[in-house]
Amino acid sequence: RIRRRKTDVRRASVLRWGEEKNVDKKQVIAMTDYIIINGLIVNGKNEPPFSGNVVIENGVIREITKPEAIPENFPPERILDAKGGYVTPGFIDIHRHGDWKALCGGDDELLNRQGITSVVNGNCGLSVAPVGKKYAGEILDFLSSVTGDLPGEYLEEDREGKRFCPAAESFASYMDALAATKRSVNTGMLAGNGTIRAAAAGYAPGRLTKEELHLVWKNLEESLSAGALGVSLGVAYAPEFEYDVQGFTEALMPLKNADIPITTHVRSEGDGFVESVREVIQVAKSLHIPLHVSHVKCIGKKNWGVRRREILELFRQAREEGVSLDFDLYPYLTGSTQLVHLLPPESQEGGAEAILERLQDSVYRWHLTQILRKPSRHFENIVELAGFDQIYASTLHSEEYKEMTGKSIAEIAKIRKEDPYDTLYDILIAEKCQATMLDTIASEEDMLHFLKDPYANVISDATYPTGGKYHPRVYAAFPKVLVDYVREKKIFSIEEAVYKMTGKPAQVLNLEQGILEKGRPADINIFRLENMKVPADFDNPAQFCRGFDYVLVGGEAAVKNDCWKNTGSGKLLRRKK
């Protein structure tokens, strides 16, 4: 009798939706793809977990019911048992550099295996489109140490032997190529402001001509029309360091008064961090647009514990003055970028060929060394801030240096019995500037101080250089937060951490993903926190996370008990017009 009474309650509860829609109960069961039971739901809104079942139909959450709402005679293979674990939205990484990987599905598994169901590439002004035709080869070479080499099937040569890529010529052509790729990850793109300038004027120094500026506007407007989620800036990188506030305001004029965000790598995160943040705030104010500051950190021990309060206060003041402002950061103390980024901006002018020519001049090298030995507010002098013993060559290809991949510049210099400054210049020459580095630059106290801020988002900032070792954040950034700072150190509650990886980043780029509620996409993670493992480290970064019972993308299981398959259910994320 008791069993019958429970069954009646279940049946009455589960068929409520069908009765409201005047649908027969057999049809309700047939229409339902999955029901997730026995889980604690963390809905992505920074609200406490609650018990309930999630009903999925046609890749969408049909409803979230009370725990007893299980259909009678529902097929057991379509019941996903969370076993007392957490049911969360799929994680959203709004800051990656997997532009080329997305076209060949090269990172789908490592994304899904860490619970990432949506990703946004094209960050730091370094998107692989639109490269145009005139400077395409030069741009693709410059980007390769961040995005890797483009897939061979997309590469062509003209009659003169110059490389070009029709799929990257315009933002629309790239998005069309991406739309034809069946991924198990939802994928969006930012239009890189640096690439847009380079397509118009190459890596030449100075202000843009009127013709070049109009071409910048044309490429920007076409990129937005093709579905760019926003515009990324790399103020510290070539060629964008040629802009000042006025230059950025002019170049971004098509955004004026639009609700389209700029996401920006600022000019310096070291001694000039405060001035660099003021610079991008002024740009956002002038154009009346949302601002998102990328991978916030304080570089250099002398800045630890000091700059963070100034930066957060600047953010607060800007919001009071009407600027919509958020920021993000990754949960590591070591960063990753191009080795050439150690040079001051004026040394990077003109592209790789010009850099290499200058580095072979002994007098020029001497003057360059004098600059790098001293503190600077003009640029981010990582050599002075971190030291050569904390700068590691992570991608080396040449016969002369490839065996030293993973060693610090100081170690390589000692082995070769050279001055470390000369070692840096010689590596750049041998590698034709196509080298990357890992640099230990931040403090955990600062990182957690920023991460606790309600406007903070978790990202990976994953780069994909060809050859060498990846940074472990490529494989593990999001679970690392859950393991280190929720489970082990108990710094964040589960709902706080999940919000920073789901609902919050969805707000930044106006995505419909990131929240578990009726009508939202069924991008869902199911896991028990005690089972989660993050084996990726700096010695062996290429290791998948473990512990996800299920990762659903569009209602399809991309991960089931740590086994992965490409569901092809990922969607192309375009800006809502």
Side-chain angles (χ1 to χ4, degrees), residues 451-504:
L451 197 54
K452 288 175 183 175
D453 190 270
Y455 293 90
N457 297 255
V458 174
I459 57 157
S460 70
D461 192 17
T463 59
Y464 294 83
T466 302
K469 287 185 177 181
Y470 285 167
H471 192 297
R473 66 192 182 188
V474 175
Y475 285 81
F478 288 70
K480 185 178 188 297
V481 172
L482 296 174
V483 170
D484 289 1
Y485 302 119
V486 176
R487 187 181 75 193
E488 302 299 332
K489 297 183 180 180
K490 296 179 172 52
I491 290 172
F492 299 102
S493 66
I494 185 69
E495 60 266 28
E496 289 173 324
V498 167
Y499 172 66
K500 292 177 182 295
M501 299 189 284
T502 59
K504 188 72 187 75

Side-chain angles (χ1 to χ4, degrees), residues 277-305:
V277 169
R278 286 199 180 106
E279 178 181 36
V280 294
I281 288 174
Q282 185 56 49
V283 173
K285 275 184 180 178
S286 299
L287 295 170
H288 302 101
I289 53 176
L291 172 65
H292 184 87
V293 181
S294 300
H295 44 62
V296 169
K297 55 190 171 291
C298 300
I299 297 179
K301 287 185 179 180
K302 59 186 174 181
N303 294 312
W304 295 352

Side-chain angles (χ1 to χ4, degrees), residues 141-397:
D141 283 341
F142 180 78
L143 296 177
S144 65
S145 59
V146 173
T147 61
D149 291 329
L150 74 164
E153 62 267 32
Y154 293 99
L155 181 62
E156 298 183 21
E157 288 187 359
D158 62 19
R159 292 180 180 178
E160 299 176 355
K162 292 183 178 180
R163 297 190 312 156
F164 69 99
C165 178
E169 187 173 316
S170 69
F171 203 87
S173 60
Y174 176 86
M175 293 295 275
D176 288 344
L178 194 56
T181 304
K182 297 297 182 184
R183 303 195 75 192
S184 57
V185 185
N186 304 310
T187 310
M189 275 287 290
L190 299 169
N193 192 52
T195 298
I196 287 173
R197 173 176 168 129
Y203 293 92
R207 299 186 70 84
L208 297 175
T209 65
K210 275 188 178 181
E211 292 76 14
E212 290 166 345
L213 182 59
H214 281 97
L215 184 54
V216 162
W217 289 345
K218 178 176 179 287
N219 286 336
L220 180 53
E221 289 168 344
E222 288 179 352
S223 297
L224 294 171
S225 295
L229 296 171
V231 180
S232 71
L233 278 58
V235 185
Y237 296 127
E240 286 188 86
F241 52 55
E242 297 292 340
Y243 288 128
D244 55 14
V245 170
Q246 181 183 351
F248 275 113
T249 304
E250 286 178 350
L252 298 170
M253 191 57 66
L255 298 179
K256 189 172 179 65
N257 297 320
D259 191 26
I260 299 172
I262 54 171
T263 71
T264 178
H265 179 140
V266 298
R267 197 175 298 273
S268 171
E269 296 164 324
D271 295 346
F273 195 9
V274 173
E275 293 89 339
S276 297
V277 169
R278 286 199 180 106
E279 178 181 36
V280 294
I281 288 174
Q282 185 56 49
V283 173
K285 275 184 180 178
S286 299
L287 295 170
H288 302 101
I289 53 176
L291 172 65
H292 184 87
V293 181
S294 300
H295 44 62
V296 169
K297 55 190 171 291
C298 300
I299 297 179
K301 287 185 179 180
K302 59 186 174 181
N303 294 312
W304 295 352
V306 179
R307 300 281 179 244
R308 67 191 189 208
R309 291 182 176 82
E310 293 180 73
I311 295 302
L312 290 179
E313 177 60 19
L314 271 179
F315 290 170
R316 187 195 64 78
Q317 290 175 1
R319 291 188 200 100
E320 281 192 353
E321 293 166 4
V323 179
S324 173
L325 193 156
D326 296 272
F327 66 95
D328 60 47
L329 64 157
Y330 48 80
Y332 291 89
L333 309 182
T334 296
S336 176
T337 189
Q338 299 157 304
L339 189 64
V340 72
H341 184 51
L342 294 178
L343 305 183
E346 57 271 19
S347 298
Q348 299 180 51
E349 291 177 346
E353 289 186 12
I355 295 170
L356 296 175
E357 185 177 345
R358 286 191 288 265
L359 288 179
Q360 294 179 72
D361 183 327
S362 60
V363 175
Y364 183 84
R365 286 164 69 125
W366 183 87
H367 284 291
L368 185 56
T369 298
Q370 307 317 305
I371 294 171
L372 294 179
R373 287 184 187 278
K374 300 174 183 176
S376 175
R377 304 188 83 82
H378 163 57
F379 77 104
E380 193 171 81
N381 189 354
I382 296 175
V383 171
E384 189 272 334
L385 290 165
F388 282 121
D389 59 328
Q390 297 298 318
I391 299 170
Y392 304 85
S394 55
T395 305
L396 299 172
H397 304 97

